């Protein structure tokens, strides 16, 4: 339509100002009403743009808080990965993660060099993304009730990391599940569990977890380990603490390290 070809260098020369408003104004100099109208349309488009981009940002926030609400300590595992690497070094080469949102953890682990990773999702995967579905299809992530024996042979993984899931088990099931996690590990088991008073699961998610989390104190856990004859891995614990101090990292969850069966 326009007889004048668009001169790209001139548009670039506008340097940051909104080029389409400027060129509209110069073309419609003989009709100030149309020009004002077009500027208003431009303004509406800009407002629409800002609205839609802030809308995108708030849906990102929703996703994050959904993760926090359902599984605060799984989020913590992601933060702690560099520290775990320092504490476990070579033991991080074959990892099983057990807990809600395991796809997120497994994807992060698989992105690391020299790390194989598998996951057990103890709850239903209602709104799994395509990436997660593909991990399930490949058998890397399994959906399994951890109240029953795990579908792996003894010492299948050098390191087993569990987050949140144990908080939802009564001692009757913990008695079986925790030794199961130790059984499938060859070096160590790392437990991430919530601090008492840290309840963050909302009503709609309780249905998924079956019961509210029972967040136990660290003395409760330590007594439980002794009762079930599970030994803490003090070497790993010390290394984890040292690496945390060096990076000024303070985990938002309790972290325990257990030795595998010899
Ligand atoms: C769990 O096991 C320990 C040690 O075997 C036992 O003392 C305790 O009573 C058990 N708890 C439950 C709830 O079965
Ligand atoms: C304890 O943790 C260390 C890593 O800090 C690991 O090398 C070792 O295999 C673990 N298990 C035992 C039984 O010491």
């Amino acid at each position: 339509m326009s007889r004048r070809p668009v001169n790209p260098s001139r548009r670039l020369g506008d340097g940051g100002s909104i080029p389409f408003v400027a060129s509209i104004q110069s073309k419609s100099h003989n009709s100030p009403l149309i020009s004002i109208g077009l500027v208003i349309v431009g303004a509406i488009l800009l407002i629409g743009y800002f609205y839609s981009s802030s809308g995108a940002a708030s849906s990102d926030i929703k996703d994050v808080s959904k993760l926090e609400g359902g599984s605060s300590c799984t989020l913590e595992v992601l933060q702690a990965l560099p520290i775990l690497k320092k504490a476990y070094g070579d033991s991080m080469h074959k990892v099983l993660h057990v807990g809600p949102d395991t796809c997120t953890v497994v994807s992060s682990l698989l992105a690391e060099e020299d790390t194989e990773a598998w996951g057990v999702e103890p709850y239903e995967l209602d709104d799994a993304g395509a990436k997660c579905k593909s991990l399930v299809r490949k058998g890397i992530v399994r959906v399994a009730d951890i109240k029953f024996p795990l579908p792996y042979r003894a010492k299948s993984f050098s390191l087993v990391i569990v987050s949140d899931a144990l908080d939802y088990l009564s001692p009757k099931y913990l008695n079986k599940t925790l030794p199961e996690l130790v059984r499938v590990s060859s070096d160590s088991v790392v437990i991430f569990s919530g601090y008492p008073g840290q309840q963050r699961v909302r009503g709609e998610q309780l249905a998924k977890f079956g019961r509210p989390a029972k967040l136990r104190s660290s003395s409760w856990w330590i007594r439980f380990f002794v009762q079930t004859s599970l030994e803490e891995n003090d070497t790993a614990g010390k290394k984890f603490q040292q690496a945390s101090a060096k990076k000024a990292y303070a985990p938002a969850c309790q972290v325990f390290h257990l030795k595998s069966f010899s």
Side-chain angles (χ1 to χ4, degrees), residues 69-70 168 199-212:
Y168 294 90
Q199 197 73 263
R200 275 187 259 176
V201 176
R202 284 175 228 106
E204 81 231 41
Q205 278 167 325
L206 273 184
K208 169 170 160 178
F209 293 106
R211 52 181 296 212

Side-chain angles (χ1 to χ4, degrees), residues 238-255:
K238 247 178 236 140
K239 282 192 196 164
F240 187 85
Q241 253 172 13
Q242 279 164 1
S244 303
K246 218 184 240 168
K247 298 207 172 190
Y249 167 72
C253 295
Q254 308 186 74
V255 185

Side-chain angles (χ1 to χ4, degrees), residues 19-248:
F20 78 90
V21 174
S23 64
I24 284 162
Q25 274 175 325
S26 69
K27 250 187 274 172
S28 49
H29 52 88
N30 47 5
S31 171
L33 261 181
I34 291 175
S35 149
I36 289 165
L38 287 173
V39 168
I40 289 170
V41 167
I44 289 169
L45 285 177
L46 275 177
I47 290 166
Y49 169 76
F50 283 120
Y51 258 97
S52 67
S53 62
S54 69
S58 77
S59 81
D60 283 351
I61 290 164
K62 252 201 318 230
D63 281 349
V64 170
S65 64
K66 192 181 88 198
L67 194 63
E68 270 180 16
S71 50
S72 50
C73 291
T74 294
L75 204 65
E76 200 57 40
V77 172
L78 295 176
Q79 314 257 328
L81 282 183
I83 312 286
L84 287 169
K85 262 168 107 182
K86 286 263 187 290
Y88 285 99
D90 288 345
S91 295
M92 287 282 283
H93 71 277
K94 210 168 174 190
V95 182
L96 175 72
H97 173 258
V98 178
D101 295 312
T102 193
C103 284
T104 320
V105 178
V106 169
S107 302
S108 298
L109 284 166
L110 287 175
E112 305 272 333
E113 242 174 89
D114 302 325
T115 307
E116 293 178 77
W118 286 266
V120 170
E121 167 64 60
Y123 310 103
E124 246 146 82
L125 280 171
D126 336 301
D127 42 9
K131 212 169 159 190
C132 189
K133 280 186 187 143
S134 143
L135 288 172
V136 173
R137 223 177 300 119
K138 289 180 196 150
I140 294 172
V141 167
R142 297 202 194 196
V143 181
D145 189 339
I146 56 168
K147 292 195 210 81
F148 300 102
L150 296 173
Y152 304 106
R153 266 183 237 136
K155 301 191 185 296
S156 292
F157 310 97
S158 51
L159 193 69
V160 173
I161 303 172
V162 56
S163 57
D164 295 305
L166 299 180
D167 299 337
Y168 294 90
L169 294 180
S170 65
K172 183 179 130 210
Y173 288 113
L174 257 188
N175 258 8
K176 301 204 175 77
T177 299
L178 195 47
E180 251 315 89
L181 295 175
V182 178
R183 180 186 69 83
V184 300
S185 74
S186 66
D187 292 355
S188 239
V189 174
V190 190
I191 300 168
F192 283 75
S193 83
Y195 282 106
Q198 223 181 18
Q199 197 73 263
R200 275 187 259 176
V201 176
R202 284 175 228 106
E204 81 231 41
Q205 278 167 325
L206 273 184
K208 169 170 160 178
F209 293 106
R211 52 181 296 212
K214 177 106 178 70
L215 300 173
R216 291 122 174 166
S217 66
S218 104
S219 58
W220 188 94
W221 279 109
I222 290 164
R223 212 168 38 229
F224 185 81
F225 300 148
V226 173
Q227 269 177 13
T228 40
S229 312
L230 299 172
E231 266 184 83
E232 288 193 76
N233 184 341
D234 296 327
T235 315
K238 247 178 236 140
K239 282 192 196 164
F240 187 85
Q241 253 172 13
Q242 279 164 1
S244 303
K246 218 184 240 168
K247 298 207 172 190

